[in-house]
Amino acid sequence: MTQAPPREYFEFFGLAPALSLDAADLQKRFYELSRKWHPDRFSARPPEEQQIALDATATLNDAYRTLRDPVRRAEYVLTRNGFPIGEQRTKDVPPELLEEVFELNMALEELRSGDSGVRPQLESAREHFLSLRAAVDGELEELFRSHDSGGGETVLSAIRGVLNRRRYIENLVREVEKALGARATA
Amino acid sequence: MAYSNKVLDHYNNPRNVGSMDKNDPDVGTGMVGAPECGDVMKLQVKVNPATGIIEDAKFKTFGCGSAIASSSLATEMLKGRTVDEALSIKNTEIVNELALPPVKIHCSVLAEDAIKAAITDYKEKSASRTNATVA
């Protein structure tokens, strides 16, 4: 009789819950598990087993989508460790970050209302936001390593802070790209 | 899109958008953010120091329609109230007025937080001014 696989993503992949992981290894495991649980292989089995295979495939796809993306992977680990994003209040966002994001948004808004002449400024704003995002991703990588070598709660809460910051920067990137896109079609 | 007419009205014609001098001793500034959606909201009140009544309120919000509508409505509710009355404003009043759906309730919480932050900032300023006069 086929047993249902673990619902926990790392366990399903046979991995330790580490934040740094090898993308090629993850992909290899994903292909192997996809073959193992492919519903076609269960077509001659009893209905309960077919259902298990179907559920396993759905979980596997969710798990792979989550684990292969560093930000989603970190969100998953944080949520499982009691640092979910949903229950936060303002106090968890440092005032300097809000000031900075507010100023960046103001500058972007001013550029968006400008004529086609502001395109170079929009492009340099995009470069700036992308470099902020790259810096945040570098910070995350380092924190992932500290987490994996037993960093504990302090590191998890630092990761929470960096992910919050990243979300704000991601919004700015999206807004500036929208502004550039609108100008390209005009 | 499930925005109510009142949300759309405040979103399309936001009241009291702008900013005041945050170094003005009669102005309190609250800057708050919601990391789950990346919103940032600035709300300011200008208080008459003699009466404690809020004479003007301004906001600027970068975020979704509900966050903009919530802060726009908040500035309307603030004008004419005393600072202590302002502190008693609850997010549920905003939810009811704008008919916000459950997934957008956090926008009203953000507006309530912004009001509290602005009033707290004003109170801290006026307390330090009183101390300075005494000293």
Side-chain angles (χ1 to χ4, degrees):
Chain A
M1 171 76 197
T2 305
Q3 296 290 314
R7 302 200 69 80
E8 205 285 323
Y9 295 166
F10 288 99
E11 270 182 61
F12 197 150
F13 274 86
L15 292 165
L19 282 174
S20 315
L21 54 77
D22 176 354
D25 173 61
L26 186 75
Q27 191 182 48
K28 195 169 140 260
R29 287 167 189 261
F30 173 66
Y31 289 149
E32 281 164 12
L33 287 164
S34 301
R35 271 194 295 276
K36 177 179 171 185
W37 291 105
H38 200 287
D40 287 356
R41 296 182 45 149
F42 290 79
S43 54
R45 310 294 292 255
E48 314 84 79
E49 292 194 34
Q50 292 185 20
Q51 189 58 48
I52 288 174
L54 218 54
D55 292 344
T57 304
T59 308
L60 179 64
N61 289 330
D62 287 343
Y64 184 54
R65 212 175 302 127
T66 304
L67 294 185
R68 74 174 167 189
D69 178 76
V71 172
R72 288 189 188 194
R73 190 193 314 145
E75 290 288 356
Y76 178 70
V77 169
L78 286 172
T79 304
R80 292 187 57 81
N81 285 284
F83 290 85
I85 195 166
E87 290 158 30
Q88 299 174 94
R89 295 286 293 261
T90 297
K91 58 185 181 336
D92 302 302
V93 190
E96 316 81 66
L97 171 59
L98 289 175
E99 285 288 347
E100 182 195 359
V101 171
F102 191 87
E103 290 309 319
L104 291 170
N105 269 303
M106 285 297 276
L108 181 56
E109 188 178 75
E110 205 159 299
L111 287 179
R112 286 166 70 157
S113 59
D115 56 20
S116 56
V118 301
R119 191 173 176 91
Q121 279 129 291
L122 281 173
E123 273 163 359
S124 78
R126 178 172 63 181
E127 288 311 303
H128 178 52
F129 299 155
L130 289 175
S131 76
L132 288 174
R133 190 173 70 183
V136 163
D137 288 344
E139 260 179 86
L140 275 179
E141 260 176 55
E142 207 144 297
L143 285 165
F144 284 3
R145 281 192 289 272
S146 318
H147 167 268
D148 297 345
S149 51
E153 299 242 315
T154 332
V155 174
L156 286 173
S157 108
I159 295 174
R160 172 83 283 153
V162 175
L163 284 180
N164 287 349
R165 182 176 157 75
R166 193 185 192 284
R167 200 172 285 249
Y168 280 109
I169 295 167
E170 189 64 40
N171 275 5
L172 287 165
V173 170
R174 202 183 52 225
E175 290 300 318
V176 79
E177 282 179 347
K178 219 195 296 175
L180 280 165
R183 276 194 170 72
T185 55
Chain B
M1 196 66 224
Y3 282 135
S4 70
N5 287 337
K6 276 184 176 157
V7 170
L8 288 174
D9 179 31
H10 276 276
Y11 178 72
N12 292 322
N13 314 293
R15 322 317 190 241
N16 312 309
V17 175
S19 77
M20 296 184 272
D21 178 9
K22 68 175 180 183
N23 297 317
D24 182 336
D26 297 338
V27 170
T29 303
M31 178 88 88
V32 296
E36 57 265 53
C37 36
D39 288 356
V40 48
M41 183 182 285
K42 182 167 96 166
L43 190 148
Q44 294 182 299
V45 291
K46 189 178 177 67
V47 182
N48 180 330
T51 58
I53 286 173
I54 296 167
E55 294 189 330
D56 200 6
K58 295 269 183 231
F59 85 96
K60 181 74 197 170
T61 295
F62 296 100
C64 69
S66 301
I68 291 168
S70 294
S71 37
S72 170
L73 175 64
T75 54
E76 280 200 321
M77 292 167 82
L78 284 168
K79 284 194 215 175
R81 298 204 193 198
T82 66
V83 289
D84 291 317
E85 284 166 356
L87 281 178
S88 70
I89 294 175
K90 289 272 167 288
N91 78 296
T92 45
E93 297 172 52
I94 296 170
V95 172
N96 293 338
E97 176 69 20
L98 296 176
L100 292 179
V103 293
K104 290 294 181 184
I105 285 175
H106 67 272
C107 297
S108 68
V109 173
L110 198 60
E112 184 189 322
D113 284 350
I115 293 172
K116 295 208 156 59
I119 302 290
T120 306
D121 181 54
Y122 169 74
K123 284 193 164 182
E124 278 168 7
K125 270 187 184 171
S126 62
S128 68
R129 180 170 40 176
T130 317
N131 291 343
T133 322
V134 174

